[in-house]
Amino acid sequence: MKKFTGWLFIAMLAFTACEGPEGPPGKDGLVSYWKNIDFTITRDMWQLVGDVDEIGSYYSRVFDIPELTEAIYFDGGVLAYYRYTNNRGIEVQTPLPFTWYNIYLKEGVEQPYSVQFSYDVTPTVTGSGGFPGTIEFKVTFSDFVTDRTTLPEYSDFRLTLLFPY
């Protein structure tokens, strides 16, 4: 048992003693590894893709991302979060895709459905070399009811660009 404990201690020491390389200095000599960009989408900003209530239809909103470089796209990272206030009144952000469950009344009968928020990041095809790019936020309903009655009044998202340094 002592031998196992000794090996366990050495393994823990090896994994906790390592440090990664430090990134390059950013503005004013500060080290910068990421950049957050916040988006708010109101109900009238969503665009329907497909026909109303068509199977496969969803809502979409596209934004240009001038900060997205080729280095970030290929060697860094892009993360997106949905920001909302939970049922306890606490503001949270959760990584996308995020599924939210709800119930609505249809002819006096409760109808369960889910809403999935997702996103796509794409280099701009018409841009020089394909960059900068765009982000498309999507809202898909499990029952494909896309008559705008179930869209939230507003949706807050955060995009995090991770620099590859």
Side-chain angles (χ1 to χ4, degrees), residues 14-70:
F15 285 112
T16 57
C18 298
E19 289 186 29
E22 186 174 299
K27 275 188 183 176
D28 302 324
L30 299 175
V31 176
S32 176
Y33 296 100
W34 67 84
K35 179 176 182 162
N36 289 327
I37 305 168
D38 293 327
F39 300 90
T40 297
I41 303 173
T42 59
R43 180 185 294 236
D44 61 329
M45 293 171 70
W46 291 107
Q47 295 179 334
L48 179 62
V49 176
D51 292 327
V52 172
D53 299 342
E54 176 184 33
I55 292 183
S57 62
Y58 62 93
Y59 288 100
S60 169
R61 177 64 181 172
V62 177
F63 292 96
D64 291 331
I65 314 171
E67 299 88 349
L68 181 63
T69 64
E70 188 172 359

Side-chain angles (χ1 to χ4, degrees), residues 100-104 111-115:
W100 166 52
Y101 300 95
N102 207 345
I103 295 174
Y104 68 94
Q111 302 289 323
Y113 69 98
S114 63
V115 181

Side-chain angles (χ1 to χ4, degrees), residues 142-164:
S142 62
D143 57 3
F144 301 111
V145 173
T146 50
D147 60 5
R148 287 196 179 267
T149 59
T150 51
L151 279 171
E153 288 297 319
Y154 66 90
S155 303
D156 288 326
F157 298 94
R158 170 166 283 169
L159 185 68
T160 301
L161 301 177
L162 304 172
F163 294 88

